[in-house]
């Protein structure tokens, strides 16, 4: 058995398809985001980052940085282990309470990432309810999909954001079976919103639990940054709200908020929580400062929405194929994986613009794109440079023919 050949062939296959991922070696400079330095074999080059999920620039906010420094000075670095043995710190307790309050829930629970919070929570809830049936939007994140698979329950996949198809599937199943409806509030590749109220109506009608991923919305929507559900006055109707600390809040980690009993069950039964070293006190303290700041400040959210709207308009005016998006996500259609990678490389090497290609399996084949994430710190000069650079790349690679084919 030639093991090396198995692995080298696997890598060769994805390279041939044009979807081999290359990680850029970049270094942000405190106080200058979204500017950064790109480390290459030929030296260091200044670039502008256009694809960071640090949507509001909170990863470099002075209050967040100071909170992390203060925590290190006070308690040191690592957490010391898992939460159940030696790794629960007062910062964890304070942050969980702050997040529960943010979403209007009884309790919150921290995880090391948003991926783990989804996978561990969904699989645990499914296993605790014999005969459970999960209804999952076809475009749900991989972490939600893996949570369903690990939960080893019956699953139904409904068409994206289709209330009608979801109801059709629910009606066909045993009315007495426990059921969970899984969906996201903002879908990060297309930038569309879920029909949250309609999904909750179905949950009430057919006695289902609702589990909503707000990772691309927390901090960014609602008067206190509670997400789309807060903005629409629907937080009390969603049973479990899951979020992240790694995007708009600028740190790392994930969480769920729900009733005390649901949170306690996940805390007590989820392997992904029980056997994982907890977040360091410094990270937790920084996240706590970020959440508290964004509960009281709307400046970042307002500026962010304006920047996203401005970039979309500039792209449309330049006749670039910006895809329909009603949120802060700005996807630009390419339609071919090889050309998408070439466009990304050209933008980086020739114009100092860093935006990663988005290819299969993250998006369906034929819808490959460049996904831009403007933030409050992208100024008009940066946007003008971006759009002019995109026009040059589009013409050189004749990308419009791939867009039309897609």
């Amino acid at each position: 058995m030639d093991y090396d050949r198995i692995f080298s062939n696997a890598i060769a296959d994805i390279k041939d398809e044009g979807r081999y991922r290359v990680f850029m070696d970049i270094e942000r400079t405190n106080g200058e985001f979204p500017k950064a330095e790109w480390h290459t074999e030929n030296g260091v080059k200044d670039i502008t980052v256009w694809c960071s999920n640090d949507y509001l620039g909170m990863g470099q906010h002075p209050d967040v940085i100071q909170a992390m420094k203060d925590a290190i000075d006070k308690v040191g670095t690592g957490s010391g282990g898992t939460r159940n043995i030696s790794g629960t710190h007062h910062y964890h307790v304070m942050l969980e309470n702050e997040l529960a309050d943010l979403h209007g829930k009884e309790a919150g629970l921290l995880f090391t990432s948003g991926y783990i919070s989804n996978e561990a929570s969904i699989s645990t809830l499914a296993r605790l309810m014999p005969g459970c049936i999960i209804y999952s939007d076809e475009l749900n994140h991989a972490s939600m999909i893996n949570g369903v698979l690990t939960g080893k329950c019956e699953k139904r996949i409904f068409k994206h954001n289709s209330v009608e198809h979801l109801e059709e599937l629910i009606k066909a199943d045993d009315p007495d079976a426990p059921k969970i409806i899984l969906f996201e509030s903002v879908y990060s590749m297309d930038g569309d919103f879920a029909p949250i109220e309609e999904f909750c109506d179905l949950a009430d009608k057919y006695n289902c639990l609702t589990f909503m991923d707000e990772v691309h919305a927390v901090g960014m929507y609602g008067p206190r940054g509670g997400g789309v559900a807060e903005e629409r006055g629907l937080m009390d109707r969603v049973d479990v709200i899951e979020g992240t600390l790694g995007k708009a809040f600028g740190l790392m980690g994930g969480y769920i908020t729900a009733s005390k009993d649901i949170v306690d069950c996940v805390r007590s039964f989820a392997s992904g929580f029980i056997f994982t070293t907890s977040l360091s006190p410094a990270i937790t303290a920084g996240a706590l400062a970020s959440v508290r700041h964004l509960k009281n400040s709307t400046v970042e959210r307002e500026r962010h929405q304006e920047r996203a709207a401005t970039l979309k308009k500039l792209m449309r005016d330049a006749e670039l194929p910006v895809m329909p998006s009603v949120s802060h996500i700005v996807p630009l259609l390419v339609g071919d994986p090889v050309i998408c990678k070439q466009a990304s490389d050209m933008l980086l090497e020739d114009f100092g613009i860093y935006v990663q290609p988005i290819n299969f399996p993250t998006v369906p084949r034929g819808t490959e794109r460049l996904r831009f994430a403007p933030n409050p710190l992208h100024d008009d000069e940066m946007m003008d440079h971006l759009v002019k650079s995109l026009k040059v790349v589009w013409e050189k690679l004749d990308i419009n023919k791939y867009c039309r084919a897609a």
Side-chain angles (χ1 to χ4, degrees):
M1 178 66 68
D2 189 344
Y3 293 107
D4 287 341
R5 181 175 295 276
I6 292 173
F7 302 127
S8 62
N9 286 346
I11 295 299
D13 287 344
I14 61 173
K15 285 184 176 179
D16 290 342
E17 292 179 29
R19 59 186 185 92
Y20 178 73
R21 288 177 166 87
V22 177
F23 294 163
M24 299 296 107
D25 183 357
I26 67 171
E27 184 176 2
R28 304 202 308 186
T29 302
N30 186 20
E32 296 185 13
F33 184 70
K35 294 182 179 179
E37 291 182 336
W38 174 34
H39 292 260
T40 75
E41 294 179 354
N42 300 318
V44 178
K45 181 176 180 179
D46 292 334
I47 61 171
T48 301
V49 178
W50 279 97
C51 52
S52 173
N53 284 342
D54 185 358
Y55 289 128
L56 302 178
M58 292 301 293
Q60 300 200 3
H61 193 282
D63 291 353
V64 175
I65 292 171
Q66 191 60 51
M68 296 184 74
K69 290 180 178 178
D70 290 345
I72 289 176
D73 289 341
K74 184 177 181 179
V75 302
T77 55
S79 68
T82 60
R83 289 279 296 274
N84 60 310
I85 296 177
S86 56
T88 291
H89 291 263
H90 188 52
Y91 288 111
H92 296 137
V93 177
M94 288 192 292
L95 180 54
E96 287 172 341
N97 290 338
E98 201 75 37
L99 291 167
D101 172 77
L102 177 66
H103 295 292
K105 299 299 183 187
E106 291 180 343
L109 189 67
L110 289 173
F111 294 81
T112 51
S113 73
Y115 189 104
I116 298 299
S117 59
N118 264 336
E119 184 178 43
S121 300
I122 292 167
S123 62
T124 298
L125 295 177
R127 289 196 305 269
L128 288 176
M129 297 188 291
C132 179
I133 304 172
I134 287 184
Y135 303 85
S136 180
D137 189 291
E138 65 180 344
L139 295 187
N140 278 342
H141 191 264
S143 58
M144 303 178 82
I145 294 170
N146 283 343
V148 176
L149 296 175
T150 307
K152 298 181 179 179
C153 64
E154 289 289 322
K155 65 178 183 295
R156 313 282 185 258
I157 310 302
F158 62 90
K159 296 175 184 176
H160 179 53
N161 279 348
S162 175
V163 179
E164 295 77 15
H165 188 220
L166 173 59
E167 183 168 23
E168 181 182 312
L169 292 173
I170 295 174
K171 288 171 68 175
D173 283 322
D174 180 356
D176 295 325
K179 302 175 178 68
I180 309 174
I181 302 172
L182 298 184
F183 57 97
E184 301 180 36
S185 63
V186 179
Y187 285 85
S188 63
M189 291 300 118
D190 293 332
D192 56 339
F193 294 111
I196 301 171
E197 185 171 12
E198 290 84 350
F199 286 162
C200 290
D201 289 342
L202 287 184
D204 291 344
K205 184 177 180 179
Y206 295 102
N207 193 24
C208 308
L209 287 176
T210 47
F211 186 111
M212 181 172 67
D213 177 316
E214 283 258 44
V215 298
H216 290 278
V218 290
M220 302 169 62
Y221 295 90
R224 299 198 307 159
V228 180
E230 184 193 25
E231 184 178 66
R232 299 181 182 180
L234 298 170
M235 290 194 299
D236 62 314
R237 300 194 61 194
V238 181
D239 295 298
V240 183
I241 296 178
E242 184 266 353
T244 184
L245 304 169
K247 293 182 171 60
F249 292 128
L251 276 299
M252 68 171 290
Y255 64 87
I256 60 166
T257 61
S259 68
K260 288 181 180 179
D261 285 345
I262 287 178
V263 168
D264 203 13
C265 279
V266 175
R267 183 189 69 86
S268 301
F269 291 95
S271 295
F273 174 81
I274 296 170
F275 299 105
T276 300
T277 299
S278 62
L279 291 172
S280 76
I283 289 174
T284 313
L288 181 62
S290 184
V291 173
R292 285 175 173 171
H293 175 84
L294 290 174
K295 277 184 175 181
N296 295 295
S297 173
T298 62
V299 173
E300 293 84 1
R301 284 189 285 279
E302 292 167 358
R303 171 72 172 171
H304 181 261
Q305 289 296 321
E306 181 275 322
R307 292 286 80 189
T310 296
L311 183 58
K312 290 176 189 177
K313 183 180 186 304
L314 289 172
M315 287 182 172
R316 286 193 294 265
D317 290 346
E319 298 183 340
L320 291 164
V322 59
M323 301 170 70
S325 167
V326 293
S327 70
H328 58 280
I329 306 298
V330 185
L332 202 58
L333 180 64
V334 175
D336 179 271
V338 175
I339 299 301
C340 195
K341 179 66 167 61
Q342 289 179 3
S344 173
D345 290 345
M346 190 178 295
L347 285 167
L348 183 64
E349 294 165 4
D350 297 346
F351 301 100
I353 291 168
Y354 175 43
V355 58
Q356 280 283 22
I358 306 296
N359 294 331
F360 179 84
T362 306
V363 295
R365 298 181 193 275
T367 68
E368 292 82 5
R369 67 200 67 177
L370 299 176
R371 175 189 175 274
F372 295 89
N375 68 58
L377 303 174
H378 284 109
D379 59 28
D380 289 343
E381 184 179 348
M382 291 176 182
M383 289 195 174
D384 289 340
H385 175 62
L386 171 64
V387 172
K388 289 176 182 176
S389 303
L390 284 168
K391 288 290 289 183
V392 173
V393 170
W394 241 248
E395 291 172 7
K396 282 188 176 181
L397 297 178
D398 195 15
I399 294 179
N400 282 334
K401 70 179 181 183
Y402 300 100
C403 296
R404 287 190 292 269

